[in-house]
Amino acid sequence: MDMRDASARVTGDDLAAVTSAVLTGSRLLVAIAANSLAAVQDQVTLPQFRMLVVLSGHGQAKLVTLAELLGVNSSTAMRMADRLTVAGLIVKEVNPHNRRESLMRLTPEGRRIVDEVTARRHKEIAAIVSRMTPEQRQALVSAMTAFNEAGGEPPAHPQYPLGWPDA
């Protein structure tokens, strides 16, 4: 079915059709995410990559902050951080203001991985979007902006294209 035909049939009130379209889109985005990680899958898992992205957006962070941002408990975050430290992707340092806390930050290799995966995602998404008409692209921007706002997702900052804010 042509996208224009689907758009003509679907009204904003057709929750089932909208939900189905978003689920289909999410499958595509998950596939893009998986493809972008393929080149580094021998180095990091998806949850570990998420930790690298959080650190990318925050510069350095305490373990408890990372756990909160990732939605995991502190012991899970600590195990992930330990593995990433051994892999040479993050550095754990004692917080000079509170010696009981550890601060974590990316190493240059950790930054390279985040940048590489981000560039792959950007390229794949740009290739898909380039096949859309200008009107479809504008509609997509409007729809995704509304969807992100409804879900509480902050707008992506150009420096953090995976969506992690600075604060």
Side-chain angles (χ1 to χ4, degrees):
M1 167 177 14
D2 185 318
M3 282 295 278
R4 289 177 298 263
D5 294 339
S7 298
R9 284 188 314 105
V10 177
T11 66
D13 295 330
D14 192 348
L15 186 59
V18 173
T19 302
S20 178
V22 171
L23 283 171
T24 301
S26 72
R27 283 196 310 269
L28 176 60
L29 291 171
V30 167
I32 291 168
N35 289 341
S36 69
L37 280 170
V40 296
Q41 70 184 1
D42 59 328
Q43 294 174 283
V44 294
T45 64
L46 179 58
Q48 291 168 345
F49 180 73
R50 286 182 61 225
M51 181 176 273
L52 295 178
V53 170
V54 169
L55 286 172
S56 172
H58 285 78
Q60 68 178 13
K62 296 185 286 187
L63 178 70
V64 68
T65 302
L66 284 174
E68 288 172 7
L69 290 168
L70 294 170
V72 299
N73 62 45
S74 292
S75 63
T76 300
M78 179 58 83
R79 283 191 301 276
M80 288 171 45
D82 288 344
R83 288 183 186 114
L84 291 169
T85 299
V86 169
L89 302 177
I90 67 170
V91 173
K92 288 193 302 186
E93 301 168 323
V94 174
N95 185 343
H97 304 293
N98 182 348
R99 302 206 46 84
R100 296 183 321 205
E101 293 178 337
S102 291
L103 293 174
M104 281 150 270
R105 63 178 167 77
L106 291 179
T107 64
E109 178 64 6
R111 166 69 56 201
R112 184 194 67 75
I113 286 176
V114 170
D115 291 347
E116 179 183 319
V117 170
T118 301
R120 279 198 176 100
R121 284 186 190 174
H122 186 274
K123 184 177 177 180
E124 279 196 62
I125 290 170
I128 292 167
V129 171
S130 72
R131 294 190 294 266
M132 298 170 71
T133 67
E135 295 79 17
Q136 289 172 325
R137 288 193 296 263
Q138 184 55 50
L140 180 62
V141 169
S142 296
M144 290 304 298
T145 299
F147 182 77
N148 294 336
E149 287 173 358
E153 184 67 20
H157 184 281
Q159 188 175 355
Y160 309 113
L162 295 178
W164 296 99
D166 212 9

